[in-house]
Amino acid sequence: MSNYHIKHLEEYFQVYRKSVRNPEAFWEEIAEEHFIWRKKWDKVLSWDFSKPEIKWFEGAKLNITENCLDRHIPTRGTKTAIIFEPNDPKEEVQHITYRQLHERVCRMANVLIENGIKKGDRVCIYLPMIPELAVSVLACARIGAIHSVVFAGFSANALSTRINDSDCKMVITSDGSYRGAKTIDLKGIVDKALESCPGVATVLVAKRINSKINMLEGRDKWLQPLLDAAYADYVADVMDAEDPLFILYTSGSTGKPKGMVHTTAGYMVYTAYTFKNAFQYREEDVYWCTADIGWITGHSYIIYGPLANGATTVMFEGVPSYPDFGRFWEVVEKHKINQFYTAPTAIRALAKENLDFVEKYDLSSLKVLGSVGEPINEEAWHWYNNNVGRKKSPIIDTWWQTETGGIMITPIPFVTPTTPTYATLPFIGIQPALMDENGQEIKGNQVEGRLCIKFPWPSIARTIWGDHDRYRDTYFSAYENMYFTGDGALRDAVGYYRITGRVDDVIIVSGHNLGTAPIEDSINEHPAVAESAIVGFPHDIKGNALYGYVILKETGEGRDRDNLRKEINLQITEQIGPIAKLDKIQFVPGLPKTRSGKIMRRILRKIASKDTSNLGDTSTLLNPEVVKEIIDNAL
Ligand code: 6R9
């Protein structure tokens, strides 16, 4: 089991050095020893960041679900693969064993085939956090269909854009979903989305809330009867190492979401290896990641990484505040969770509540605490460490992205000494670089720059669906021969990395990436609006909240401002989803622009954060008078 499970700091440095001196030999050894292949590769790696073209394990044949399911059956058939913890704590928990999960995935695979889905077809999955979601994802992988999971909090408009971008033939959804005390009419949202999706032939509907819904004859089918009638076995199709496994959309700095494409073998190897080491997962452990499978964290660290290691992974349908703010800790106690992985926004929200909610539960099972999605501020880190970890469970602040597929910079618990707000050291095989604005690498320590990665790792996204040029322009054109992350970072005196935040037009709100452009597009469609600009400003719980500066058309000038604010937010909710709503909307006579017509967001960010003592260089401003006016009327 060489190098698969790192146990002390010296070993980390040793393995790290080996992984960067000869990456091919390193990853080949991991791939050979820990996975099953129908055929081994002809070449471990070929890459060219200028095209960009990256291939891992070329020539290999495999199916990722054989690695996540079939191979565990002889030794772990009766072990729990998934614990389903429903929204309502009074509803019964489900323990799904590896054998049962295998059977459910096989039945679903047969249902997909019977409904015309073939290898390479795209299937959109728009489901709440219920077992059918994991089963659908794995069933697609089993037959070689490309899954495109869309977070079930996105609006009809956002859903249809994603369905059409990748020409999905099928949508898998449910009648509705539970979210705390509320229910959401998912099928209604799907119906609305599909009004503009002519390519969708079939909608499979899981029953979750027993609501009355509309079923369109010929298109919509209840899922359960099909599963019951389906054959319970399905031999996994053989995939090439570089066959696409899934598409997952992420926000960019233009209006169109980017469908990041992940492929099969490299993604499997890297998510499994990072899961094992970053969480120090051991055979009997119970692991819980609170993310939704609609995000990359759920793909890599609820489904693929844990299952490839034969782990027990929890799927939680609910929210941290229902029925009360003790829910997370009640679940930790109930299932004796050993590794707990959540987002800083959840920590901050819970830290505002009475400590009794945490203190009354037995959290002694916890060994490792994880954080992901945005920088974790010092206060939240200490609260997590003191009250949840009770100072004995290391916190791993894991930095990574949809595009990277797996964790990139993180402490290894019990191995890397942690420091609050630092993601610390690169994971095995990861070669970070900090770059200055002139395209030069900044060497040495105690420096700050733009975070790039110099060398490919197995789970890097291979392209943007249907737009390889955009993939190159976004990630590989800023710096020659480097993958550019879009984040800024500093490296301290001992070489630890601290992520300082986005340096592009993406704003992270409650851990969700939001591009400014799609939100501005949505606001600008309001008949009273002439132009708008969105920036982030610090928020206690969300990390960042959105501040909108809006120029009205003459026809809008006489309108009631509060009504306009409501209408603008309603429009955003309908077109993108409630996560993109603005906290503050200021109506302004103009926006600060450079002579070349670019909005100077830097100035707008300062005004939104009430930090106007030094606006920096304003010499290129075309309209300085507007800045004073905006400051005087800031919210
Ligand atoms: C996994 C995930 C990616 C962006 C990333 C960065 C921010 C994620 C972070 C973090 C500081 C961390 N981010 N983890 N910033 N510290 N530990 O979140 O993917 O949704 O694509 O977001 O999130 O800005 O570039 P994704």
Side-chain angles (χ1 to χ4, degrees):
M1 299 297 256
S2 58
N3 302 329
Y4 194 64
H5 208 174
I6 292 151
K7 290 176 208 66
H8 50 83
L9 195 58
E10 215 171 296
E11 189 185 357
Y12 160 81
F13 283 117
Q14 238 172 31
V15 178
Y16 180 79
R17 276 194 295 272
K18 188 170 152 186
S19 74
V20 301
R21 277 191 195 138
N22 193 344
E24 283 92 335
F26 177 80
W27 290 111
E28 175 159 49
E29 195 178 305
I30 300 287
E32 279 204 320
E33 287 184 18
H34 302 284
F35 301 90
I36 52 168
W37 304 88
R38 295 285 190 98
K39 174 186 171 287
K40 297 255 167 90
W41 43 92
D42 304 317
K43 194 162 186 234
V44 179
L45 170 66
S46 54
W47 66 291
D48 178 347
F49 274 175
S50 69
K51 285 184 177 167
E53 189 176 87
I54 304 139
K55 291 181 181 162
W56 282 93
F57 307 111
E58 211 178 336
K61 305 265 183 204
L62 74 156
N63 188 292
I64 194 168
T65 71
E66 285 188 338
N67 282 276
C68 290
L69 301 171
D70 305 58
R71 68 159 157 162
H72 301 314
I73 304 262
T75 51
R76 301 185 177 106
T78 56
K79 180 178 176 178
T80 301
I82 294 178
I83 298 177
F84 171 59
E85 171 69 32
N87 176 65
D88 181 350
K90 291 202 237 28
E91 191 184 323
E92 204 181 333
V93 169
Q94 286 180 40
H95 290 261
I96 305 167
T97 65
Y98 272 93
R99 193 183 301 281
Q100 290 166 335
L101 184 60
H102 177 267
E103 184 186 319
R104 288 177 72 165
V105 169
C106 286
R107 285 181 188 272
M108 186 72 193
N110 284 312
V111 169
L112 294 177
I113 300 270
E114 281 157 20
N115 281 279
I117 300 300
K118 299 181 306 296
K119 179 177 172 179
D121 286 346
R122 275 77 61 203
V123 173
C124 174
I125 304 176
Y126 186 72
L127 276 171
M129 283 286 285
I130 56 176
E132 285 83 349
L133 171 49
V135 168
S136 300
V137 161
L138 292 163
C140 285
R142 198 156 181 90
I143 69 168
I146 302 169
H147 55 79
S148 168
V149 181
V150 175
F151 172 58
F154 273 120
S155 69
N157 192 293
L159 175 61
S160 68
T161 307
R162 287 159 177 75
I163 290 172
N164 287 332
D165 182 74
S166 46
D167 295 320
C168 294
K169 279 173 76 172
M170 175 189 271
V171 177
I172 306 174
T173 189
S174 64
D175 51 356
S177 66
Y178 294 116
R179 194 175 161 76
K182 287 191 280 195
T183 56
I184 296 164
D185 175 21
L186 283 195
K187 179 59 167 50
I189 297 172
V190 170
D191 288 342
K192 198 163 158 217
L194 294 190
E195 284 169 12
S196 50
C197 301
V200 174
T202 314
V203 179
L204 301 181
V205 187
K207 196 169 253 181
R208 178 57 186 138
I209 67 168
N210 285 310
S211 56
K212 252 187 107 70
I213 56 164
N214 172 48
M215 294 290 278
L216 188 71
E217 220 186 297
R219 186 194 71 182
D220 302 351
K221 300 177 185 177
W222 288 106
L223 179 58
Q224 196 56 50
L226 300 178
L227 289 170
D228 293 341
Y231 190 54
D233 203 0
Y234 182 92
V235 179
D237 284 306
V238 180
M239 308 298 293
D240 287 337
E242 284 296 338
D243 276 339
L245 176 63
F246 65 86
I247 301 169
L248 185 60
Y249 286 89
T250 187
S251 306
S253 41
T254 70
K256 214 173 158 221
K258 297 176 288 194
M260 304 311 307
V261 178
H262 281 284
T263 59
T264 306
Y267 176 82
M268 170 182 80
V269 169
Y270 194 76
T271 53
Y273 184 64
T274 46
F275 174 75
K276 180 82 173 171
N277 284 288
F279 295 99
Q280 290 286 302
Y281 184 83
R282 279 158 217 266
E283 183 64 37
E284 297 310 318
D285 290 345
V286 180
Y287 160 88
W288 179 21
C289 166
T290 70
D292 192 288
I293 290 170
W295 311 112
I296 191 69
T297 307
H299 281 61
S300 302
Y301 299 111
I302 295 179
I303 300 186
Y304 288 114
L307 297 180
N309 281 285
T312 299
T313 175
V314 175
M315 268 184 84
F316 175 52
E317 184 189 23
V319 292
S321 55
Y322 180 81
D324 64 35
F325 290 98
R327 184 69 193 276
F328 271 5
W329 322 123
E330 183 244 337
V331 175
V332 167
E333 178 182 295
K334 177 157 55 169
H335 300 300
K336 300 197 170 47
I337 301 295
N338 302 111
Q339 289 90 0
F340 177 75
Y341 194 25
T342 196
T345 185
I347 303 289
R348 287 191 297 264
L350 295 174
K352 284 217 169 312
E353 303 301 325
N354 200 314
L355 262 187
D356 287 355
F357 286 121
V358 199
E359 283 172 350
K360 71 178 185 209
Y361 294 102
D362 176 5
L363 306 183
S364 60
S365 58
L366 288 173
K367 294 194 283 194
V368 175
L369 303 178
S371 171
V372 61
E374 58 184 307
I376 178 163
N377 51 306
E378 192 139 2
E379 212 184 327
W381 195 96
H382 285 297
W383 188 88
Y384 200 21
N385 186 41
N386 295 342
N387 302 300
V388 182
R390 302 187 179 151
K391 293 192 179 152
K392 65 170 187 50
S393 307
I395 296 176
I396 54 165
D397 179 358
T398 62
W399 173 84
W400 57 295
Q401 310 177 295
T402 304
E403 297 85 338
T404 69
I407 293 170
M408 300 290 281
I409 303 182
T410 183
I412 293 180
F414 309 105
V415 170
T416 320
T418 60
T419 304
T421 77
Y422 281 79
T424 75
L425 297 171
F427 191 77
I428 306 301
I430 303 306
Q431 305 187 37
L434 296 179
M435 307 298 290
D436 69 19
E437 293 190 6
N438 305 318
Q440 297 302 312
E441 183 173 351
I442 312 167
K443 304 252 170 135
N445 286 346
Q446 284 186 297
V447 293
E448 189 169 349
R450 292 171 174 225
L451 180 60
C452 290
I453 314 289
K454 287 188 208 183
F455 194 88
W457 60 100
S459 66
I460 183 175
R462 304 297 196 257
T463 190
I464 292 174
W465 185 264
D467 200 348
H468 197 67
D469 287 348
R470 186 174 179 200
Y471 178 64
R472 185 183 51 239
D473 294 347
T474 310
Y475 304 105
F476 299 92
S477 64
Y479 305 99
E480 210 184 326
N481 250 325
M482 299 261 179
Y483 165 81
F484 174 47
T485 66
D487 282 323
L490 61 81
R491 189 165 51 222
D492 77 357
V494 297
Y496 275 14
Y497 287 86
R498 176 185 181 163
I499 311 303
T500 49
R502 302 289 311 186
V503 296
D504 57 10
D505 289 341
V506 173
I507 307 173
I508 314 255
V509 177
S510 299
H512 302 312
N513 294 9
L514 299 174
T516 51
I519 303 175
E520 288 164 4
D521 290 348
S522 165
I523 299 171
N524 297 349
E525 278 176 32
H526 188 286
V529 172
E531 199 183 345
S532 62
I534 300 297
V535 296
F537 70 100
H539 184 279
D540 278 2
I541 291 176
K542 302 184 200 177
N544 294 297
L546 299 178
Y547 192 121
Y549 298 89
V550 174
I551 307 175
L552 290 175
K553 286 184 186 153
E554 246 178 61
T555 48
E557 285 294 350
R559 301 257 336 255
D560 178 78
R561 299 294 158 107
D562 281 337
N563 280 343
L564 276 174
R565 289 191 175 96
K566 278 190 202 131
E567 287 173 21
I568 288 171
N569 266 331
L570 188 67
Q571 177 134 330
I572 296 172
T573 306
E574 278 173 3
Q575 295 192 341
I576 301 165
I579 47 178
K581 279 204 287 199
L582 310 183
D583 271 41
K584 293 185 181 175
I585 300 176
Q586 181 181 356
F587 296 101
V588 295
L591 293 167
K593 289 196 178 165
T594 63
R595 280 163 218 286
S596 59
K598 272 194 127 190
I599 298 172
M600 284 182 94
R601 289 175 198 279
R602 182 171 53 78
I603 292 179
L604 295 176
R605 269 194 289 270
K606 288 211 159 206
I607 299 173
S609 345
K610 302 196 183 329
D611 168 24
T612 49
S613 54
N614 176 11
L615 291 179
D617 180 15
T618 52
S619 60
T620 56
L621 254 182
L622 184 68
N623 48 353
E625 70 293 342
V626 93
V627 174
K628 188 179 173 311
E629 163 106 36
I630 296 177
I631 294 176
D632 288 346
N633 295 302
L635 301 171

